[in-house]
Amino acid sequence: MLRTPTDETRLRILAWLKEPGPAADGVTADAVAERFSMPHPVAVTHLRLLQATGMLRTSWSEGRVHYHRDEMRIAEVARMFEKGW
């Protein structure tokens, strides 16, 4: 789900959200679409998949969904991969 042989977009999104600017207030699907030069629906799909796995959490601001990293869940998933999942 996070990494496929041909596309590491979700990993790149998670890495970008770790940077100080985007991490402060979270990002919208529009910001992700613009940053990674992808159509809005594709950005939404990536973000929803990351949210479904618990690696992103959401908040609402100005009537828009903002996505934020969930550091505890990301660490948990990383530990599972280290154990050979």
Side-chain angles (χ1 to χ4, degrees):
M1 207 294 290
L2 288 176
R3 185 180 349 212
T4 62
T6 59
D7 187 3
E8 294 185 354
T9 302
R10 288 182 284 280
L11 290 174
R12 290 186 296 142
I13 291 169
L14 287 173
W16 182 51
L17 285 171
K18 194 171 186 176
E19 294 176 9
D25 299 317
V27 296
T28 64
D30 288 336
V32 171
E34 182 178 326
R35 168 79 163 130
F36 295 99
S37 301
M38 65 178 68
H40 183 269
V42 173
V44 169
T45 298
H46 285 302
L47 292 166
R48 286 183 179 164
L49 285 168
L50 287 167
Q51 182 185 13
T53 62
M55 288 185 273
L56 292 183
R57 56 185 170 76
T58 60
S59 64
W60 282 85
S61 177
E62 300 175 11
R64 301 179 71 177
V65 177
H66 290 254
Y67 294 86
H68 313 264
R69 287 171 54 104
D70 186 329
E71 297 299 338
M72 290 179 61
R73 176 64 178 157
I74 290 169
E76 181 181 292
V77 170
R79 282 191 300 275
M80 283 190 268
F81 279 107
E82 288 171 2
K83 292 179 181 181
W85 273 43

